Amino acid sequence: MRRSTLVLALFAVSGCGTIIHGTMQNIGLSSTPTNARVWVDNQALGNTPTIVKLSRKDNHIIRMELAGYQPFEATITRSVSGWVVGNLVFGGLVGLAVDAISGGLYKLTPDQVAGQLAKQSASVQRVGNGLFVTVVLRPDATWQRVGTLARE
């Protein structure tokens, strides 16, 4: 009887933050232009606009991709929630420990990500000893000419 009372008491006083806002958080994702493919932590999760449910205990990498546009990346970071004080008052150290382990102690920021995808343009990349040039068939009128390719 004593053991079950102790277990019930531990559950009653633990997890204040977890009870208040849970271990997952909704994050709104949008892009300009819309319909970009959304990747969260290298996992495809649909197209923009969308709402994804993310674990509060981890940081997350958001990537948006759309053909003809440069990819957009953002980081969602965790920080300690303001509920930590209430957790100490109502849940004590046990509640604080439970929420720290489960992730209920944290909040994710930002809670909205609006990706601005830039039109893809010509680019030059150096990889090892090689030089890679990306060429497009229809250049943008605002681009500056840096050279011309000619046949020998």
Side-chain angles (χ1 to χ4, degrees), residues 30-39 46-50 63-67 117:
S30 63
S31 68
T32 302
T34 60
N35 205 34
R37 187 79 174 141
V38 173
W39 299 82
N47 292 18
T48 60
T50 189
R63 183 174 174 91
M64 298 177 195
E65 298 176 350
L66 184 63
L117 282 71

Side-chain angles (χ1 to χ4, degrees), residues 1-140:
M1 190 73 146
R2 292 167 99 185
R3 181 179 241 177
S4 62
T5 305
L6 177 63
V7 169
L8 282 173
L10 284 174
F11 278 116
V13 298
S14 67
C16 181
T18 304
I19 292 169
I20 292 169
H21 56 60
T23 60
M24 304 293 279
Q25 181 175 331
N26 287 335
I27 304 292
L29 304 175
S30 63
S31 68
T32 302
T34 60
N35 205 34
R37 187 79 174 141
V38 173
W39 299 82
V40 178
D41 301 329
N42 293 321
Q43 238 182 334
L45 293 181
N47 292 18
T48 60
T50 189
I51 296 174
V52 294
K53 189 171 266 204
L54 301 178
S55 166
R56 291 180 183 270
K57 69 184 207 176
D58 299 311
N59 293 329
H60 302 279
I61 304 289
I62 307 295
R63 183 174 174 91
M64 298 177 195
E65 298 176 350
L66 184 63
Y69 293 85
Q70 293 177 355
F72 172 87
E73 281 195 8
T75 302
I76 305 287
T77 57
R78 74 175 189 174
S79 59
V80 176
S81 170
W83 288 106
V84 71
V85 174
N87 204 353
L88 282 170
V89 171
F90 296 108
L93 292 177
V94 173
L96 185 65
V98 167
D99 283 349
I101 292 168
S102 70
L105 182 68
Y106 305 104
K107 66 178 176 178
L108 298 175
T109 53
D111 59 0
Q112 298 282 325
V113 176
Q116 297 291 323
L117 282 71
K119 274 245 187 231
Q120 202 156 28
S121 61
S123 67
V124 177
Q125 298 177 5
R126 182 175 297 277
V127 178
N129 291 333
L131 186 64
F132 291 91
V133 178
T134 303
V135 180
V136 294
L137 297 178
R138 293 185 206 132
D140 188 320

